[in-house]
């Protein structure tokens, strides 16, 4: 019964999100603990008349670590690649190179069986696409973006000359999308961000998940200079320090969640998609239009944001106004 229930979500991912066509070559990248998801996706690929190939790899030791070279090459050669892994490979050169070669990518990081049965994957992606693209257009190339929240966030950054990314969970050749996190984002100019970030909702990485208390991050010249709060803030600070890579402190992204079916559950791709939320990505930004490759990419998620780009109000207290 559970397999049947999962199949509906899997077919949505394959047919709607990836747009798989008959006779296409679809690479499914996975790891042992994600086999249920990978098998459901593979069955949906067969049902669509395409040919699935499953590439199993050992779990990466940290988010953002490159997949093995043969898998990276297979991603680049595929019509579609679907990453069903627990430890993220989203922000890697392998993904960037695959989409640059014209493949279409779907990222299912930390997916579990229930996420195929209910939640964000069952949103009407075609209906939310116009909103997603409108928010992305408002962010693109903005000279000044200011983010504030009632919880204390007050961050200013610049996206001058930077492309934005509309990610409505439906991809064309040369695009990738995390599913089900419908979002619009932009990677700010390195060194431009300054102010304070107060994450009050979630940091869905390294076992943190839903926040018990706010995590406060101070930013100067585009880099994190301090992290404070409680035990979860200490977990983030200690993890970043352990990377021995100054680039992990880079302010990499401002993203707006736009999936009305997503809820905060402590899982990366559900939490980041919650409609009207904002996340600030830190670390790697090479897949988003930036120039920094770091040892990781994490997102700090907040609620009730107000976002103003070059004087235009995009969100006000979490309500989308474009």
């Amino acid at each position: 019964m559970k397999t049947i229930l999962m199949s509906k979500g899997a077919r949505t991912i394959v047919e709607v999100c990836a747009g798989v066509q008959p006779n296409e070559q679809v690479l499914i990248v996975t790891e042992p603990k994600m086999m249920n998801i990978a098998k459901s996706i593979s069955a949906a690929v067969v049902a669509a008349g395409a040919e699935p190939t499953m590439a199993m790899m050992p779990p990466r030791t940290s988010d953002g670590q490159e997949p093995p070279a043969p898998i990276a090459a297979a991603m680049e050669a595929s019509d579609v690649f679907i990453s069903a892994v627990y430890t993220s490979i989203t922000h890697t050169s392998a993904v960037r190179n695959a989409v640059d070669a014209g493949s279409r990518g779907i990222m299912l990081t930390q997916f579990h069986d229930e996420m195929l049965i209910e939640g964000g994957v069952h949103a009407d992606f075609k209906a939310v696409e116009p909103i997603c693209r409108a928010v992305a257009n408002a962010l693109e190339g903005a000279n000044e973006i200011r983010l504030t929240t009632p919880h204390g966030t007050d961050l200013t950054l610049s996206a001058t000359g930077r492309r934005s990314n509309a990610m409505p969970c439906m991809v064309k050749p040369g695009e990738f999308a995390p599913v089900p996190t419908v979002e619009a984002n932009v990677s700010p100019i390195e060194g431009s961000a300054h102010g304070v970030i107060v994450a009050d909702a979630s940091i869905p990485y390294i076992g943190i998940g839903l926040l018990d208390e706010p995590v406060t991050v101070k930013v100067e010249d585009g880099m994190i200079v301090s992290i404070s709060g409680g035990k979860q803030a200490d977990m983030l600070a200690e993890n970043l320090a352990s990377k021995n890579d100054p680039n992990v402190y880079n302010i990499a992204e401002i993203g707006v969640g736009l999936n009305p079916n997503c809820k905060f559950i402590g899982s990366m791709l559900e939490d980041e998609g919650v409609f009207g939320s904002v996340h600030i990505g830190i670390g790697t930004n090479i897949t988003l239009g930036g120039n920094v490759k770091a040892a990781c990419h994490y997102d700090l998620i907040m609620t009730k944001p107000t976002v103003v780009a070059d004087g235009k109000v995009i969100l006000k207290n979490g309500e989308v106004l474009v």
Side-chain angles (χ1 to χ4, degrees):
M1 181 64 179
K2 188 176 184 180
T3 301
I4 295 172
L5 293 173
M6 290 171 65
S7 67
K8 181 180 178 182
R11 292 194 69 161
T12 295
I13 289 168
V14 168
E15 297 174 11
V16 177
C17 300
V20 170
Q21 300 299 309
N23 302 316
E24 285 195 309
Q25 296 295 313
V26 180
L27 178 71
I28 302 165
V29 181
T30 193
E31 59 185 68
K33 72 184 293 182
M34 299 291 288
M35 278 302 297
N36 275 357
I37 301 298
K39 287 178 180 178
S40 292
I41 295 298
S42 181
V45 170
V46 171
E51 186 171 26
T53 299
M54 197 174 297
M56 177 76 71
M57 66 180 182
R60 304 293 83 191
T61 58
S62 62
D63 292 303
Q65 182 185 7
E66 297 290 334
I71 291 180
M75 291 166 62
E76 196 167 337
S78 68
D79 294 308
V80 176
F81 65 91
I82 299 175
S83 172
V85 299
Y86 192 83
T87 305
S88 176
I89 62 167
T90 300
H91 299 280
T92 60
S93 296
V95 169
R96 184 179 65 176
N97 292 340
V99 297
D100 284 349
S103 188
R104 313 192 300 278
I106 297 294
M107 319 308 291
L108 304 178
T109 307
Q110 295 183 14
F111 246 68
H112 51 77
D113 295 357
E114 287 70 24
M115 290 174 68
L116 287 178
I117 297 171
E118 60 182 358
V121 75
H122 297 295
D124 186 342
F125 296 120
K126 292 181 180 179
V128 299
E129 181 179 16
I131 300 171
C132 182
R133 297 201 180 279
V135 173
N137 288 340
L139 292 171
E140 183 156 344
N143 294 314
E144 182 180 274
I145 300 171
R146 187 179 181 195
L147 165 66
T148 58
T149 72
H151 310 286
T153 295
D154 192 346
L155 185 73
T156 301
L157 47 85
S158 174
T160 302
R162 283 279 163 89
R163 65 169 172 84
S164 62
N165 304 287
M167 295 182 169
C169 291
M170 298 182 295
V171 290
K172 300 174 183 177
E175 295 180 344
F176 79 94
V179 174
T181 177
V182 176
E183 69 173 89
N185 64 53
V186 71
S187 182
I189 299 296
E190 292 80 4
S192 69
H194 59 89
V196 178
I197 301 163
V198 181
D200 67 287
S202 173
I203 301 177
Y205 300 83
I206 60 171
I208 297 177
L210 299 177
L211 293 176
D212 299 323
E213 56 186 315
V215 172
T216 299
V217 175
K218 293 185 179 180
V219 178
E220 296 176 3
D221 298 324
M223 304 291 281
I224 293 172
V225 295
S226 71
I227 300 171
S228 61
K231 185 178 296 185
Q232 291 168 311
D234 292 341
M235 289 175 64
L236 177 63
E238 290 167 7
N239 179 270
L240 292 176
S242 74
K243 303 296 184 184
N244 294 314
D245 177 5
N247 286 338
V248 300
Y249 299 103
N250 174 57
I251 300 302
E253 169 196 10
I254 178 170
V256 179
L258 294 166
N259 187 329
N261 286 48
C262 283
K263 298 178 181 178
F264 289 117
I265 62 172
S267 180
M268 181 192 313
L269 298 182
E270 283 279 341
D271 291 9
E272 293 171 10
V274 171
F275 195 93
S277 67
V278 161
H279 54 273
I280 295 296
I282 62 174
T284 294
N285 63 11
I286 59 168
T287 59
L288 302 174
N291 302 311
V292 173
K293 179 69 170 77
C296 62
H297 176 102
Y298 300 153
D299 293 294
L300 317 180
I301 310 174
M302 59 211 74
T303 59
K304 298 183 180 179
T306 294
V307 178
V308 181
D310 288 343
K312 181 176 183 177
V313 181
I314 301 173
L315 286 89
K316 186 171 183 178
N317 293 323
E319 180 182 359
V320 179
L321 298 181
V322 296

Tab-separated table of all heavy atoms in Angstrom, residues 110-134:
chain	number	residue	atom	x	y	z
A	110	GLN	N	17.695	14.475	1.335
A	110	GLN	CA	17.043	14.142	2.615
A	110	GLN	C	15.572	13.767	2.449
A	110	GLN	O	14.786	13.866	3.395
A	110	GLN	CB	17.186	15.286	3.630
A	110	GLN	CG	18.620	15.539	4.059
A	110	GLN	CD	18.731	16.630	5.115
A	110	GLN	OE1	17.745	17.037	5.716
A	110	GLN	NE2	19.943	17.086	5.355
A	111	PHE	N	15.185	13.333	1.267
A	111	PHE	CA	13.814	12.873	1.074
A	111	PHE	C	13.572	11.614	1.904
A	111	PHE	O	14.444	10.760	2.041
A	111	PHE	CB	13.565	12.545	-0.406
A	111	PHE	CG	12.568	13.449	-1.070
A	111	PHE	CD1	12.868	14.781	-1.297
A	111	PHE	CD2	11.339	12.972	-1.468
A	111	PHE	CE1	11.950	15.622	-1.908
A	111	PHE	CE2	10.411	13.798	-2.074
A	111	PHE	CZ	10.710	15.121	-2.297
A	112	HIS	N	12.375	11.512	2.445
A	112	HIS	CA	11.964	10.265	3.084
A	112	HIS	C	10.615	9.859	2.512
A	112	HIS	O	9.972	10.631	1.784
A	112	HIS	CB	11.926	10.388	4.608
A	112	HIS	CG	11.162	11.561	5.131
A	112	HIS	ND1	9.790	11.602	5.177
A	112	HIS	CD2	11.594	12.756	5.626
A	112	HIS	CE1	9.398	12.746	5.690
A	112	HIS	NE2	10.460	13.474	5.971
A	113	ASP	N	10.199	8.644	2.803
A	113	ASP	CA	9.034	8.074	2.127
A	113	ASP	C	7.798	8.965	2.220
A	113	ASP	O	7.057	9.143	1.239
A	113	ASP	CB	8.715	6.699	2.731
A	113	ASP	CG	9.806	5.678	2.494
A	113	ASP	OD1	10.800	6.005	1.805
A	113	ASP	OD2	9.681	4.539	3.012
A	114	GLU	N	7.567	9.547	3.395
A	114	GLU	CA	6.346	10.333	3.606
A	114	GLU	C	6.324	11.586	2.723
A	114	GLU	O	5.247	12.103	2.411
A	114	GLU	CB	6.223	10.724	5.076
A	114	GLU	CG	5.839	9.574	6.001
A	114	GLU	CD	6.956	8.547	6.178
A	114	GLU	OE1	8.138	8.914	5.976
A	114	GLU	OE2	6.647	7.396	6.506
A	115	MET	N	7.495	12.072	2.324
A	115	MET	CA	7.543	13.268	1.473
A	115	MET	C	7.047	12.979	0.064
A	115	MET	O	6.682	13.913	-0.660
A	115	MET	CB	8.957	13.848	1.449
A	115	MET	CG	9.375	14.485	2.766
A	115	MET	SD	11.100	15.014	2.797
A	115	MET	CE	11.071	16.372	1.612
A	116	LEU	N	7.015	11.699	-0.344
A	116	LEU	CA	6.392	11.343	-1.614
A	116	LEU	C	4.880	11.165	-1.476
A	116	LEU	O	4.152	11.189	-2.473
A	116	LEU	CB	6.995	10.046	-2.168
A	116	LEU	CG	8.410	10.128	-2.740
A	116	LEU	CD1	8.859	8.756	-3.206
A	116	LEU	CD2	8.495	11.139	-3.876
A	117	ILE	N	4.427	10.995	-0.248
A	117	ILE	CA	3.008	10.724	-0.010
A	117	ILE	C	2.228	11.999	0.262
A	117	ILE	O	1.079	12.157	-0.177
A	117	ILE	CB	2.861	9.737	1.159
A	117	ILE	CG1	3.523	8.393	0.799
A	117	ILE	CG2	1.395	9.531	1.543
A	117	ILE	CD1	3.626	7.415	1.961
A	118	GLU	N	2.823	12.946	0.997
A	118	GLU	CA	2.136	14.191	1.323
A	118	GLU	C	3.135	15.338	1.394
A	118	GLU	O	4.344	15.124	1.422
A	118	GLU	CB	1.392	14.051	2.660
A	118	GLU	CG	2.290	13.737	3.836
A	118	GLU	CD	1.526	13.557	5.136
A	118	GLU	OE1	0.290	13.728	5.107
A	118	GLU	OE2	2.159	13.264	6.158
A	119	GLY	N	2.614	16.564	1.428
A	119	GLY	CA	3.481	17.730	1.570
A	119	GLY	C	3.728	18.449	0.265
A	119	GLY	O	2.922	18.416	-0.672
A	120	GLY	N	4.882	19.101	0.208
A	120	GLY	CA	5.175	20.033	-0.877
A	120	GLY	C	5.198	19.443	-2.259
A	120	GLY	O	4.942	20.143	-3.240
A	121	VAL	N	5.483	18.151	-2.390
A	121	VAL	CA	5.589	17.551	-3.720
A	121	VAL	C	4.248	17.522	-4.440
A	121	VAL	O	4.195	17.370	-5.663
A	121	VAL	CB	6.190	16.122	-3.610
A	121	VAL	CG1	5.171	15.127	-3.086
A	121	VAL	CG2	6.733	15.660	-4.960
A	122	HIS	N	3.164	17.712	-3.690
A	122	HIS	CA	1.840	17.683	-4.298
A	122	HIS	C	1.275	19.082	-4.568
A	122	HIS	O	0.075	19.241	-4.810
A	122	HIS	CB	0.884	16.870	-3.429
A	122	HIS	CG	1.293	15.429	-3.314
A	122	HIS	ND1	1.299	14.576	-4.399
A	122	HIS	CD2	1.757	14.709	-2.260
A	122	HIS	CE1	1.732	13.381	-4.012
A	122	HIS	NE2	2.018	13.447	-2.719
A	123	ALA	N	2.141	20.084	-4.561
A	123	ALA	CA	1.713	21.439	-4.929
A	123	ALA	C	1.407	21.500	-6.422
A	123	ALA	O	1.860	20.669	-7.215
A	123	ALA	CB	2.809	22.441	-4.583
A	124	ASP	N	0.648	22.502	-6.796
A	124	ASP	CA	0.381	22.775	-8.223
A	124	ASP	C	1.533	23.637	-8.741
A	124	ASP	O	1.484	24.865	-8.692
A	124	ASP	CB	-0.959	23.485	-8.381
A	124	ASP	CG	-1.362	23.661	-9.844
A	124	ASP	OD1	-0.489	23.553	-10.726
A	124	ASP	OD2	-2.549	23.926	-10.094
A	125	PHE	N	2.602	22.979	-9.226
A	125	PHE	CA	3.806	23.702	-9.613
A	125	PHE	C	3.553	24.661	-10.773
A	125	PHE	O	4.149	25.739	-10.831
A	125	PHE	CB	4.922	22.711	-9.955
A	125	PHE	CG	5.366	21.883	-8.783
A	125	PHE	CD1	5.268	20.500	-8.804
A	125	PHE	CD2	5.869	22.489	-7.640
A	125	PHE	CE1	5.671	19.735	-7.718
A	125	PHE	CE2	6.274	21.731	-6.549
A	125	PHE	CZ	6.169	20.360	-6.590
A	126	LYS	N	2.684	24.295	-11.678
A	126	LYS	CA	2.400	25.186	-12.800
A	126	LYS	C	1.701	26.454	-12.325
A	126	LYS	O	1.917	27.532	-12.881
A	126	LYS	CB	1.553	24.456	-13.843
A	126	LYS	CG	2.317	23.335	-14.549
A	126	LYS	CD	1.467	22.633	-15.604
A	126	LYS	CE	2.274	21.513	-16.274
A	126	LYS	NZ	1.459	20.785	-17.288
A	127	ALA	N	0.867	26.332	-11.291
A	127	ALA	CA	0.151	27.502	-10.788
A	127	ALA	C	1.085	28.466	-10.065
A	127	ALA	O	0.882	29.692	-10.115
A	127	ALA	CB	-0.977	27.063	-9.854
A	128	VAL	N	2.107	27.947	-9.352
A	128	VAL	CA	2.996	28.841	-8.598
A	128	VAL	C	4.162	29.363	-9.436
A	128	VAL	O	4.866	30.274	-9.008
A	128	VAL	CB	3.548	28.154	-7.326
A	128	VAL	CG1	2.415	27.774	-6.399
A	128	VAL	CG2	4.395	26.949	-7.668
A	129	GLU	N	4.356	28.818	-10.628
A	129	GLU	CA	5.489	29.253	-11.452
A	129	GLU	C	5.487	30.755	-11.742
A	129	GLU	O	6.545	31.403	-11.638
A	129	GLU	CB	5.538	28.464	-12.764
A	129	GLU	CG	6.720	28.860	-13.641
A	129	GLU	CD	6.796	28.071	-14.933
A	129	GLU	OE1	5.785	27.432	-15.311
A	129	GLU	OE2	7.862	28.101	-15.578
A	130	PRO	N	4.343	31.380	-12.108
A	130	PRO	CA	4.384	32.830	-12.388
A	130	PRO	C	4.839	33.654	-11.188
A	130	PRO	O	5.581	34.628	-11.351
A	130	PRO	CB	2.936	33.151	-12.775
A	130	PRO	CG	2.375	31.861	-13.267
A	130	PRO	CD	3.013	30.803	-12.409
A	131	ILE	N	4.419	33.273	-9.978
A	131	ILE	CA	4.846	33.999	-8.777
A	131	ILE	C	6.348	33.821	-8.573
A	131	ILE	O	7.074	34.773	-8.266
A	131	ILE	CB	4.072	33.502	-7.538
A	131	ILE	CG1	2.572	33.724	-7.711
A	131	ILE	CG2	4.569	34.196	-6.269
A	131	ILE	CD1	1.728	33.070	-6.631
A	132	CYS	N	6.810	32.602	-8.763
A	132	CYS	CA	8.232	32.306	-8.598
A	132	CYS	C	9.074	33.156	-9.543
A	132	CYS	O	10.090	33.748	-9.143
A	132	CYS	CB	8.461	30.816	-8.847
A	132	CYS	SG	10.166	30.276	-8.619
A	133	ARG	N	8.656	33.237	-10.794
A	133	ARG	CA	9.435	34.001	-11.778
A	133	ARG	C	9.342	35.510	-11.515
A	133	ARG	O	10.308	36.238	-11.726
A	133	ARG	CB	8.981	33.653	-13.191
A	133	ARG	CG	9.237	32.186	-13.528
A	133	ARG	CD	9.290	31.880	-15.002
A	133	ARG	NE	9.535	30.454	-15.232
A	133	ARG	CZ	10.746	29.880	-15.171
A	133	ARG	NH1	11.814	30.622	-14.923
A	133	ARG	NH2	10.867	28.575	-15.378
A	134	ALA	N	8.204	35.963	-11.011
A	134	ALA	CA	8.060	37.388	-10.700
A	134	ALA	C	8.990	37.789	-9.553
A	134	ALA	O	9.625	38.854	-9.596
A	134	ALA	CB	6.606	37.705	-10.344
